[in-house]
Amino acid sequence: MPLGAAVDFAHEVVPILKKHCVECHGGEKSKGGFSMNTRALVLEADVLEPGHPDVSLLIEQLTAEDPDERMPPPGKKKAPLNTAEIDVLKRWIAADVPWEEGFTFAKDRYEPPLKPRKVKLPAGPAGANPIDLIVAEHFKGEKLDFPVPADDSTFLRRATIDLTGLPPSPGFAAKISQGKPLNRDKAVDRLLADKQGYAEHWMTFWNDLLRNDYGGTGFITGGRKQVTSWLYPALLNNKPFDEFVRELVAPTKESRGFIDGITWRGEVNASQTTQIQFSQNVSQVFLGINMKCASCHDSFIDRWTLREAYGLAAIYSETPLELERCDKPTGEMAKASWLFPELGQIDASKPRDERLKQLADLMTHPENGRMQRTIVNRLWAQMMGRGIVRPVDAMNTEPWSEDLLDLLANHLVSSGYDLKAVLRLIATSRIYQSRADVREDESEAYVFRGPVRKRMTAEQFLDTIRAVTGVWPKADGDAFKEKGASGGQLNKVMKAHDLKKWDDRPIRTAFGKRDSLQAALGRPNRDQVVTSRPDSVTTLEAINLANGPELAGMIRAGAEKLGNAVDPKNLVQSVFRASLSREPATEEMEISLSLLSAKPSTEDIEDFLWSVFMLPEFHYIN
Ligand code: HEC
Ligand code: HEC
């Protein structure tokens, strides 16, 4: 196969490593100091060059002439790898060493206690945010300094984009630059009180998680339903998270799109039926469990078995369900059951709707710490750029701080499952408000050092450009329905909440269909659940990739609108404030003015806007 051909890590690479290498480089064994247990450990050893198999020591060793160099070492009853096997490993390295999230060759897996734990807080100044007490203790243990605080404008831009998906108003930025100190707690409260801004930003996160979209696979044939008219008001009202989960697991008419999944047309394999999708999606989204790998055989990633995957599926299935192992019927019938019987079990003799209600109750059981930790870890990852547990869907991975994770989980429960209360606790902590100049180095064992600089999502990026230029798409009846969420249904919601009628207001990117620009910027096709956006391409690369008319058209329309502005100096100042929440430096002002004549043309303004929107400072949430 050509080097560029895709490689299936689990089914091509793992068997080879298992057969030839892990007895000496996996589990407890790390001959020559080399362990292949995790991707991080493989990279750390510096024995391969991702993307470049031909200069990778690991490949050289497979065919080395010198018996002292060859792997596996000759003479230990270990046959050398054949050409086909070597080819797979080359393709694996050429493809940047893909690894299944959470997969390890290590024997001992972390098994978190199911029940929430009481957290004993380290001592510290009265009134300190409990997050900071735990984090300070961590830094002390690691002999690291607490990171430097972010200045007010950096903090305000970060908090505003993180919580509402939009930049702060230019007026606010101006006040700060005049030296007026910001009351940060109040600023966070104000942002969280912006019901609409909050809901329209978090739509993106939940749409990804619930694979809710407005067009694409399944919609035309009726094999898929939106949950938008349920989700949007749920976010507007900050529906308590236990109720939120209950209404998704044992749904109303409007929220049932999530558990119904996608009815694929034509032949599907056993792991793609709607019952198995239910099993996979419910466990991934709410429990951070990768059930995909247990849908054809017992999982090799964690402890979940084929029988357990089918047990969940049988809660949903209206007809008796036979277990299939790798698409082959086993003769065993699935029994409706769930994953943590210590909290109670499903009564399989009850009809489906009751079984779903039982599952909803078990899922939101106050002692189901797994559900609580999974959501607070996701929120932390959204705000801080990396989960306390990573990957966020492998909650059987050891957190870098069990106490921090459980502190947040307990806060969720004690606040009445209030997601905003958890976000508030995070956003008002000193650590969230620290400088985010820390970049991750995947090749080293992870040590928490503070917030990670994040790239804006497609939605944040495009909405920020729109906020700066003031040009928003408008809903216009049926045309809007074609483009995204249904205007008619949402108007009812808007009316009920005293919000401006849907047809008369700017439409945020989250409500539109995905176009090629958004796709290039990382908005996923939502055929599958997606729980984190890729950060591998930069915004600039993505824009070049898309190279389409969307962005150019937006910026042109913005330039036309701003063309009414009187004075170029004012224009530069207000665009800097709106885009970057700060004043232009003297040099930036000079350069910008050189792009704008005394009476700037639309093209001049376009050039100027491009120059600001292409700044890394603009693309990142610092
Ligand atoms: C029977 C045990 C055994 C098996 C099986 C084995 N190795 Fe090794 N490996 C060793 C030993 C021992 C060393 C240390 C050699 C030395 O230091 O001279 C080593 C060293 C290495 C190193 C060098 C580490 C470094 O940092 O220099 C790499 C890379 C490696 N092995 C890869 C592999 C791969 C890939 C496989 C499977 C294709 C494999 N090994 C199979 C025993 C084994
Ligand atoms: C569509 C069905 C299907 C899914 C989903 C699936 N597998 Fe497999 N897997 C197979 C088949 C078929 C085999 C062949 C071996 C067998 O019959 O057990 C296999 C074997 C394996 C093996 C054993 C390799 C060996 O010989 O040691 C591993 C490891 C594995 N799968 C990992 C995974 C992981 C990790 C996932 C989740 C990403 C996954 N599988 C999902 C079908 C599947």
Side-chain angles (χ1 to χ4, degrees):
M1 260 196 248
L3 257 190
V7 64
D8 176 345
F9 170 74
H11 299 109
E12 292 188 278
V13 179
V14 169
I16 295 173
L17 300 182
K18 262 193 174 161
K19 181 168 167 210
H20 297 288
C21 318
V22 296
E23 85 184 48
C24 300
H25 299 292
E28 304 281 289
K29 297 279 171 56
S30 55
K31 289 278 170 69
F34 178 46
S35 164
M36 306 189 88
N37 281 349
T38 63
R39 181 173 190 268
L41 286 170
V42 170
L43 294 184
E44 199 178 318
D46 218 10
V47 295
L48 53 78
E49 187 68 41
H52 304 281
D54 294 340
V55 296
S56 292
L57 176 70
L58 187 144
I59 297 292
E60 268 171 41
Q61 286 177 316
L62 302 175
T63 52
E65 299 273 324
D66 181 348
D68 286 346
E69 302 266 302
R70 183 140 19 105
M71 283 297 142
K76 299 251 164 128
K77 290 196 221 111
K78 279 265 167 202
L81 274 64
N82 65 36
T83 346
E85 290 169 327
I86 295 175
D87 183 55
V88 169
L89 295 186
K90 280 187 180 166
R91 281 192 287 125
W92 176 54
I93 295 175
D96 278 344
V97 200
W99 198 278
E100 191 61 37
E101 284 207 334
F103 183 88
T104 169
F105 289 109
K107 291 282 173 298
D108 293 329
R109 293 205 182 91
Y110 174 75
E111 183 67 38
L114 181 62
K115 291 185 187 179
R117 298 161 47 250
K118 278 223 168 64
V119 175
K120 196 168 168 294
L121 285 177
N129 186 313
I131 292 175
D132 293 325
L133 297 177
I134 295 174
V135 166
E137 183 94 341
H138 158 80
F139 286 137
K140 212 163 86 191
E142 295 288 340
K143 301 203 166 47
L144 290 168
D145 290 332
F146 208 102
V148 180
D151 59 32
D152 276 349
S153 82
T154 305
F155 159 73
L156 185 67
R157 186 172 188 267
R158 182 191 305 164
T160 312
I161 298 180
D162 279 349
L163 295 172
T164 69
L166 291 170
S169 74
F172 232 109
K175 264 191 222 152
I176 291 176
S177 62
Q178 282 152 17
K180 190 169 182 287
L182 180 70
N183 181 328
R184 296 189 179 194
D185 285 2
K186 259 199 179 150
V188 170
D189 286 335
R190 189 177 46 80
L191 291 167
L192 289 170
D194 172 5
K195 274 171 46 167
Q196 199 171 340
Y198 170 86
E200 298 190 354
H201 166 58
W202 289 88
M203 277 299 290
T204 294
F205 170 81
W206 284 107
N207 278 345
D208 282 6
L209 243 83
L210 303 177
R211 35 149 301 289
N212 183 48
D213 219 329
Y214 319 115
T217 318
F219 282 113
I220 296 163
T221 53
R224 182 173 181 180
K225 292 181 214 75
Q226 284 192 40
V227 299
T228 312
S229 62
W230 173 85
L231 177 58
Y232 183 51
L235 296 175
L236 277 173
N237 293 330
N238 190 27
K239 190 186 282 287
F241 190 64
D242 53 344
E243 269 175 54
F244 187 100
V245 173
R246 224 176 273 136
E247 289 176 20
L248 284 167
V249 172
T252 65
K253 201 166 132 263
E254 293 195 309
S255 60
R256 63 170 314 118
F258 172 63
I259 60 165
D260 283 347
I262 300 179
T263 309
W264 298 96
R265 289 170 69 187
E267 283 282 307
V268 294
N269 68 39
S271 70
Q272 290 171 313
T273 60
T274 48
Q275 300 92 305
I276 296 287
Q277 281 180 53
F278 170 86
S279 170
Q280 293 173 351
N281 294 347
V282 163
S283 45
Q284 180 182 356
V285 171
F286 302 125
L287 301 169
I289 289 174
N290 182 342
M291 203 56 98
K292 280 207 175 78
C293 299
S295 310
C296 290
H297 47 65
D298 291 352
S299 178
F300 289 88
I301 291 192
D302 47 32
R303 65 182 175 88
W304 308 109
T305 61
L306 187 69
R307 197 172 280 140
E308 285 169 312
Y310 271 81
L312 264 184
I315 300 176
Y316 176 85
S317 185
E318 286 188 293
T319 50
L321 195 58
E322 182 178 355
L323 266 69
E324 294 194 18
R325 190 181 182 286
C326 296
D327 270 340
K328 289 187 199 76
T330 59
E332 180 182 340
M333 300 308 288
K335 179 161 183 243
S337 56
W338 101 303
L339 306 171
F340 299 105
E342 51 272 52
L343 297 181
Q345 196 43 286
I346 305 287
D347 180 350
S349 67
K350 291 281 194 280
R352 172 170 115 142
D353 282 354
E354 274 182 55
R355 296 196 301 265
L356 289 171
K357 282 208 183 86
Q358 290 170 359
L359 177 63
D361 288 342
L362 290 165
M363 193 67 89
T364 56
H365 193 293
E367 293 192 350
N368 183 7
R370 181 78 180 218
M371 189 278 272
Q372 301 152 15
R373 291 184 193 114
T374 302
I375 182 64
V376 296
N377 187 54
R378 293 192 195 287
L379 297 183
W380 178 273
Q382 290 293 308
M383 299 291 282
M384 303 292 286
R386 189 202 194 275
I388 302 168
V389 175
R390 175 157 134 169
V392 290
D393 290 325
M395 292 299 289
N396 269 66
T397 312
E398 192 164 0
W400 67 260
S401 168
E402 287 182 318
D403 280 350
L404 181 56
L405 187 61
D406 282 33
L407 171 84
L408 296 175
N410 294 343
H411 195 72
L412 175 74
V413 178
S414 65
S415 66
Y417 290 88
D418 181 347
L419 296 183
K420 283 190 183 180
V422 176
L423 289 169
R424 186 182 190 283
L425 191 69
I426 297 172
T428 54
S429 69
R430 215 179 118 205
I431 190 63
Y432 173 77
Q433 300 180 8
S434 303
R435 271 179 39 183
D437 41 12
V438 195
R439 299 294 300 280
E440 252 192 273
D441 182 355
E442 261 193 274
S443 67
E444 276 171 32
Y446 178 72
V447 176
F448 175 75
R449 289 165 192 274
V452 179
R453 186 176 78 150
K454 306 182 290 269
R455 185 163 74 90
M456 282 204 255
T457 60
E459 289 84 346
Q460 286 166 329
F461 179 73
L462 297 174
D463 284 351
T464 299
I465 290 182
R466 292 187 155 134
V468 173
T469 58
V471 182
W472 292 88
K474 281 225 166 173
D476 53 359
D478 283 349
F480 177 53
K481 209 168 170 182
E482 283 295 301
K483 289 192 196 110
S486 154
Q489 271 180 326
L490 287 172
N491 265 332
K492 277 192 220 141
V493 176
M494 307 308 277
K495 201 164 162 206
H497 287 85
D498 274 338
L499 295 167
K500 246 195 186 161
K501 228 174 111 186
W502 192 254
D503 298 337
D504 310 330
R505 52 190 290 280
I507 302 299
R508 298 274 298 260
T509 306
F511 289 95
K513 278 192 188 167
R514 170 179 183 260
D515 57 24
S516 55
L517 173 63
Q518 290 182 42
L521 289 166
R523 172 165 163 179
N525 141 351
R526 296 187 177 121
D527 286 0
Q528 309 281 339
V529 166
V530 173
T531 56
S532 48
R533 293 281 179 99
D535 50 11
S536 46
V537 271
T538 69
T539 306
L540 275 177
E541 283 165 357
I543 288 166
N544 284 334
L545 249 156
N547 191 23
E550 288 98 351
L551 187 60
M554 265 172 72
I555 294 183
R556 171 142 198 116
E560 277 164 7
K561 178 145 186 182
L562 295 172
N564 303 327
V566 265
D567 159 52
K569 221 170 161 172
N570 277 343
L571 177 68
V572 174
Q573 190 175 44
S574 68
V575 168
F576 265 78
R577 282 176 181 168
S579 310
L580 306 171
S581 304
R582 64 171 177 84
E583 302 295 307
T586 317
E587 205 188 4
E588 290 170 325
M589 178 59 94
E590 276 167 19
I591 295 171
S592 304
L593 288 177
S594 73
L595 294 171
L596 301 162
S597 49
K599 250 191 150 315
S601 66
T602 306
E603 286 75 31
D604 292 344
I605 301 177
E606 256 181 285
D607 287 347
F608 163 60
L609 289 177
W610 277 103
S611 76
V612 174
F613 296 154
M614 294 305 114
L615 290 172
E617 183 186 350
F618 182 79
H619 303 164
Y620 284 97
I621 307 170
N622 285 302

